[in-house]
């Protein structure tokens, strides 16, 4: 990354705009979103860099909610690829994407940019920036094959984004005994967000985002950015009401209940990218809080066609997992929180095959609730599950991976941009990402 910046110059640095740099095991994507939306609400031009994407590479970098255009990619990418080739720089896909975002944000003359760490922190390509505020949302076990086997080891890697003299905001679920000495050693102001007492990630993430904003805007109040702090990126406990008859879906938060009552044969579907034990624990805690006991709004929805508001809904979970996860812990949390579990295989080279998931479920004596249909194909499984629950009081939950969501949203007929060419990290490939980028650029 340093070599790329050296040859591309200040047009691919963050010298011209202020920056937030956000890492953490869980919550970093949501905190980035909340910070960006809050800044937008105050009239600033804001770049947002996040990963991975759900259905289009262009989601990874946006300005005030508008993704980078294909024309901008085609205009900015050749100079980057040329620098890699001419100076023999073996850049990875994610490094190319990061440097592209810096060029894009400079070209669009943003006031602020909010950067989400890709993996870890210390060696992540986003660590090339010098932020105005660093943020570490949470630390728990994930990517242990890369970051370390203990929370302390993982925290040390994530703490690599702490910069000398620059404030670092830490969430309540981090090992302060590891991160605080790292900050003190380089005279970085260490700001602790206290626990909110809630099991809901969103409450915690709102407070982390506001505290990060207050490092630059000390007078900014929650009331002034409340709507922005409440907002969430796609597929974070995102709830839809899907009509089997029409095939359409509406986001539940945007539905007036008088409109809901005119619907028939509907199924509620929750999309969430939870993919590690801590995230699954929070997800199923939120499901329990949402539906057990049933809040008034859920009672209204179920009463539309069930006439039964006393019995809690059935939780039917569709899940795919990556091989790098703690499968045993993940499965235990998911199975205990679900009435039925269907295994699927996401279209990712890291995804576990459904047969492997089934064997692991059996090894942990969790197989009674688990099954595979349609050979674990995501779209076919989602269609079958939704069609089979139309006469039951059920909530369908799709979770386990970002790489499931594009196909689930396709079944639900949720509008989304989809790339013709699958631009994603290739963890099993040995060739340089520059070759893929050069090939993509040539085709464009």
């Amino acid at each position: 990354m340093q070599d790329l910046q050296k040859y591309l110059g200040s047009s691919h640095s963050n010298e011209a705009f202020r920056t937030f740099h956000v890492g953490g095991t869980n919550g970093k994507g949501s905190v980035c979103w909340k910070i960006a939306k809050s800044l937008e609400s105050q009239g600033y031009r804001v770049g947002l860099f996040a990963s991975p994407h759900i259905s289009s590479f262009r989601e990874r970098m946006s300005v005030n909610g508008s993704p980078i255009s294909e024309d901008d990619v085609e205009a900015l990418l050749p100079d980057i690829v040329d620098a890699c080739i001419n100076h023999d720089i073996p850049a990875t896909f994610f490094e190319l994407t990061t440097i592209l975002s810096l060029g894009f944000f400079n070209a669009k003359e943003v006031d602020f940019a909010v950067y989400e760490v890709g993996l870890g922190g210390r060696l992540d390509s986003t660590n090339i920036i010098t932020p105005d505020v660093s943020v570490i949302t949470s630390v728990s076990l994930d990517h242990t094959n890369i970051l370390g086997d203990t929370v302390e080891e993982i925290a040390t890697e994530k703490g690599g984004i702490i910069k000398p003299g620059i404030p670092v905001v830490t969430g309540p679920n981090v090992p302060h005994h590891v991160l605080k000495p790292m900050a003190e050693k380089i005279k970085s102001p260490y700001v602790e967000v206290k626990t909110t007492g809630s099991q809901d990630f969103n409450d915690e993430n709102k407070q982390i985002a506001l505290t990060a904003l207050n490092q630059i805007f000390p007078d900014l109040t929650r009331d002034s950015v409340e709507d922005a702090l409440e907002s969430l990126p796609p597929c974070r406990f995102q709830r839809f009401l899907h009509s089997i008859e029409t095939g359409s879906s509406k986001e539940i938060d945007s539905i007036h209940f008088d409109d809901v009552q005119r619907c028939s044969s509907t199924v509620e579907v929750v999309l969430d990218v939870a993919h590690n034990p801590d995230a699954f624990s929070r997800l199923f805690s939120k499901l329990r809080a949402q539906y057990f006991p049933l809040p008034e709004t859920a009672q209204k929805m179920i009463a539309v066609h069930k006439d039964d508001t006393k019995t809690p809904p059935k939780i039917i979970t569709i899940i795919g997992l990556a091989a790098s996860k703690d499968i045993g812990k993940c499965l235990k949390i998911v199975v205990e929180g679900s009435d039925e579990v269907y295994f699927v295989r996401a279209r990712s080279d890291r995804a576990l095959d459904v047969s492997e998931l089934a064997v692991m479920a059996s090894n942990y004596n969790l197989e009674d609730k688990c099954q595979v249909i349609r050979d674990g194909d995501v779209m076919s499984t989602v269609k079958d599950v939704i069609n089979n629950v139309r006469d039951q009081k059920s909530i369908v939950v799709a979770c386990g991976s970002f790489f499931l969501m594009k196909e689930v949203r396709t079944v639900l007929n949720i509008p989304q941009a989809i790339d013709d060419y699958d631009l994603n990290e290739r963890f099993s490939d040995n060739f340089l990402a520059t070759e893929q980028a050069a090939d993509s650029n040539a085709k464009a």
Side-chain angles (χ1 to χ4, degrees):
M1 288 296 294
Q2 291 175 339
D3 287 341
L4 277 172
Q5 277 197 337
K6 173 183 175 182
Y7 292 112
L8 292 167
S10 61
S11 64
H12 290 76
S13 74
N14 69 310
E15 293 175 8
F17 48 84
R18 305 188 78 175
T19 314
F20 290 81
H21 194 198
V22 185
T25 304
N26 293 308
K28 59 183 182 292
S30 293
V31 168
C32 284
W33 178 278
K34 292 176 188 298
I35 292 172
K37 293 301 177 186
S38 296
L39 292 168
E40 288 174 34
S41 75
Q42 301 302 299
Y44 292 104
R45 191 168 176 81
V46 186
L48 174 62
F49 179 80
S51 64
H53 63 266
I54 293 173
S55 63
S56 172
F57 169 81
R58 298 187 298 110
E59 298 167 27
R60 291 179 179 242
M61 58 201 80
S62 59
V63 174
N64 284 23
S66 297
I68 187 172
S69 68
E70 292 183 4
D71 288 343
D72 282 328
V73 174
E74 290 177 17
L76 294 166
L77 192 57
D79 286 346
I80 298 171
V81 174
D82 287 346
C84 291
I85 294 171
N86 294 336
H87 300 286
D88 196 24
I89 300 172
T92 65
F93 171 88
F94 194 71
E95 287 167 342
L96 291 173
T97 305
T98 304
I99 205 75
L100 173 65
S101 73
L102 287 164
F104 175 57
F105 294 153
N106 274 287
K108 298 301 179 183
E109 298 181 336
V110 301
D111 302 304
F112 286 89
V114 186
Y115 271 82
E116 178 186 358
V117 172
L119 176 66
R122 180 176 65 92
L123 300 177
D124 192 72
S125 65
T126 61
N127 211 22
I128 194 69
I129 66 173
T130 301
D132 293 87
V133 183
S134 301
V135 182
I136 300 173
T137 58
S138 66
V139 179
S140 58
L141 296 177
D142 197 10
H143 301 290
T144 53
N145 58 322
I146 299 172
L147 301 179
D149 295 325
T150 67
V151 167
E152 286 75 16
E153 289 176 320
I154 293 171
T156 300
E157 289 298 317
K158 294 187 182 298
I161 67 170
I162 302 172
K163 299 293 196 302
I166 293 169
V168 55
V169 174
T170 58
N173 293 297
V174 305
H176 295 295
H177 66 283
V178 174
L179 294 176
K180 191 171 184 178
M182 293 177 68
E184 290 174 342
K185 185 176 181 179
I186 55 176
K187 296 181 171 55
S188 172
Y190 190 81
V191 183
E192 296 183 34
V193 175
K194 302 303 181 183
T195 181
T196 62
S198 172
Q199 285 297 306
D200 188 343
F201 259 144
N202 196 40
D203 293 335
E204 186 176 296
N205 292 336
K206 285 188 291 185
Q207 190 58 43
I208 294 171
L210 180 61
T211 304
L213 287 161
N214 285 154
Q215 303 313 302
I216 295 178
F217 304 100
D219 297 327
L220 190 71
T221 64
R222 178 184 289 271
D223 288 345
S224 64
V225 290
E226 184 63 32
D227 288 346
L229 291 175
E230 284 290 346
S231 66
L232 286 166
C235 302
R236 272 71 165 189
F237 207 82
Q238 191 175 20
R239 301 161 62 213
F240 292 92
L241 199 65
H242 178 72
S243 170
I244 297 171
E245 290 184 351
T246 67
S248 63
S249 299
K250 290 185 178 179
E251 191 165 2
I252 286 175
D253 287 347
S254 65
I255 300 175
H256 190 279
F257 279 105
D258 289 342
D259 295 330
V260 175
Q261 291 175 358
R262 291 192 290 271
C263 297
S264 62
S265 301
T266 55
V267 177
E268 182 173 343
V269 183
V270 178
L271 307 185
D272 196 287
V273 294
H275 58 276
N276 56 51
D278 190 30
F280 282 126
S281 180
R282 297 293 187 103
L283 168 59
F284 282 91
S285 291
K286 187 161 186 174
L287 285 166
R288 286 191 293 272
Q290 187 75 36
Y291 301 109
F292 310 94
L294 294 176
E296 182 182 355
T297 52
Q299 290 182 18
K300 287 182 180 180
M301 292 186 64
I302 291 171
V304 170
H305 26 253
K306 311 304 178 186
D307 296 322
D308 177 8
T309 62
K310 295 181 180 179
T311 306
K314 192 175 183 180
I315 302 297
I316 300 175
T317 302
I318 299 169
I319 183 172
L321 288 168
S324 61
K325 306 304 173 186
D326 187 333
I327 305 301
K329 285 185 179 179
C330 291
L331 288 179
K332 184 177 181 183
I333 295 166
V334 171
V335 173
E336 287 182 352
S338 306
D339 295 284
E340 297 176 15
V341 177
Y342 293 85
F343 293 141
V344 293
R345 189 187 193 284
R347 295 189 180 182
S348 165
D349 63 351
R350 291 185 295 164
L352 277 174
D353 190 78
V354 291
S355 60
E356 296 176 275
L357 285 171
V359 168
M360 290 182 180
S362 179
N363 290 342
Y364 290 99
N365 298 315
L366 300 171
E367 69 272 19
D368 288 350
K369 294 183 183 178
C370 304
Q371 56 187 301
V372 176
I373 60 173
R374 299 286 189 167
D375 297 321
D377 178 77
V378 176
M379 293 180 66
S380 298
T381 299
V382 173
K383 288 177 184 176
D384 278 12
V385 168
I386 287 175
N387 285 325
N388 288 333
V389 301
R390 62 186 301 173
D391 295 323
Q392 301 174 27
K393 185 170 61 177
S394 302
I395 310 297
V396 176
V397 181
C399 59
S401 172
F402 276 87
F403 301 107
L404 294 179
M405 297 303 154
K406 177 177 73 174
E407 293 175 274
V408 176
R409 296 199 304 187
T410 298
V411 173
L412 299 179
N413 283 314
I414 298 169
Q416 58 184 340
I418 298 178
D419 296 328
D420 293 330
Y421 187 89
D422 183 22
L423 283 168
N424 249 312
E425 288 88 348
R426 297 288 190 273
F427 289 89
S428 62
D429 291 345
N430 292 320
F431 59 79
L432 298 181
T434 46
E435 295 182 20
Q436 184 181 20
D439 179 57
S440 177
N441 186 55
K443 290 179 180 178

